[in-house]
Amino acid sequence: DAGVTQSPTHLIKTRGQQVTLRCSPKSGHDTVSWYQQALGQGPQFIFQYYEEEERQRGNFPDRFSGHQFPNYSSELNVNALLLGDSALYLCASSPGQGFRGYTFGSGTRLTVV
Amino acid sequence: GNSVTQMEGPVTLSEEAFLTINCTYTATGYPSLFWYVQYPGEGLQLLLKATKADDKGSNKGFEATYRKETTSFHLEKGSVQVSDSAVYFCALISNDYKLSFGAGTTVTVRA
């Protein structure tokens, strides 16, 4: 059983560009959350999708947007990239509200130059 | 809001030593508590969890007990191995459905 799959694994973008990151949740999971993890820090919650709608949002600007598809997969879009957006972006999935824990993907390492 | 405070590292131990990483939390409602582990270059793996007060989560020799009276969820292992070297994150989820993490504790075990 595949876990959470994220693509691409690594990405280098130029300041001002736009990027799309993709996530396929674990089979049976319908909730997808995205996290940003800067080097040496804990993951910070970006937003969560359930039933194709954004259910919760963290303290991130509108440059960060997302989408969930009918098959529960999800995309994270970041516009007008800044150097400070360089981080590991983690996707996590769970069944329902996540009280039993989330399963994380290996992440996408985004470098903005 | 919800928050997690965990012991700052880095922590360096010898093999077979006892490991404790302190974690305390602030939350509304009745949170579920977790410890996640992150090995170098990898994503996060769920190590153990506890969903209600006095529950003890355990896995791979690690244990943590959900203490509501002290709002704590300290991680312990009696005899660490080199392979336990990683970053450990304490986390909680409450009625806002968001998984909130501590800052992480880097553990290095030397042979």
Side-chain angles (χ1 to χ4, degrees):
Chain A
D1 175 29
V4 177
T5 305
Q6 291 187 243
S7 63
T9 53
H10 295 83
L11 203 51
I12 299 175
K13 288 287 190 178
T14 303
R15 198 169 36 178
Q17 284 188 315
Q18 179 265 342
V19 69
T20 297
L21 310 181
R22 294 178 175 82
C23 172
S24 293
K26 184 175 179 178
S27 178
H29 289 187
D30 55 6
T31 300
V32 173
S33 298
W34 287 91
Y35 290 81
Q36 181 195 66
Q37 186 179 19
L39 204 59
Q41 297 184 23
Q44 299 296 314
F45 176 78
I46 303 175
F47 42 53
Q48 181 181 91
Y49 279 86
Y50 175 69
E51 293 189 342
E52 300 180 52
E53 292 198 358
E54 185 182 288
R55 179 161 67 181
Q56 285 283 346
R57 188 177 183 91
N59 200 18
F60 279 80
D62 292 345
R63 297 186 298 109
F64 290 76
S65 63
H67 189 77
Q68 186 179 35
F69 300 93
N71 66 353
Y72 307 123
S73 66
S74 178
E75 289 183 348
L76 164 65
N77 301 293
V78 187
N79 294 323
L81 284 167
L82 303 174
L83 296 180
D85 294 332
S86 296
L88 180 67
Y89 288 85
L90 295 165
C91 174
S93 72
S94 74
Q97 297 166 347
F99 284 95
R100 296 185 181 275
Y102 280 82
T103 300
F104 281 80
S106 297
T108 295
R109 172 72 63 186
L110 173 64
T111 303
V112 182
V113 296
Chain B
N2 301 327
S3 66
V4 176
T5 303
Q6 67 180 96
M7 185 174 90
E8 289 189 19
V11 175
T12 302
L13 302 164
S14 297
E15 219 168 13
E16 299 183 4
F18 183 85
L19 171 68
T20 298
I21 305 176
N22 290 339
C23 171
T24 57
Y25 67 89
T26 303
T28 55
Y30 302 95
S32 292
L33 303 175
F34 307 91
W35 278 99
Y36 281 85
V37 59
Q38 188 173 35
Y39 298 102
E42 297 185 13
L44 279 74
Q45 298 177 24
L46 179 63
L47 181 59
L48 54 83
K49 65 185 178 191
T51 57
K52 61 182 188 296
D54 300 325
D55 269 2
K56 178 185 281 189
S58 61
N59 186 26
K60 299 180 181 179
F62 290 89
E63 292 184 342
T65 301
Y66 189 144
R67 301 285 188 201
K68 190 165 184 245
E69 63 277 11
T70 54
T71 62
S72 65
F73 193 54
H74 305 321
L75 182 68
E76 297 182 337
K77 185 173 185 180
S79 177
V80 293
Q81 305 300 312
V82 172
S83 58
D84 294 324
S85 297
V87 183
Y88 293 83
F89 293 95
C90 185
L92 70 82
I93 187 166
S94 190
N95 51 10
D96 62 357
Y97 314 132
K98 293 189 293 187
L99 193 58
S100 298
F101 287 90
T105 302
T106 300
V107 174
T108 302
V109 180
R110 294 186 172 162

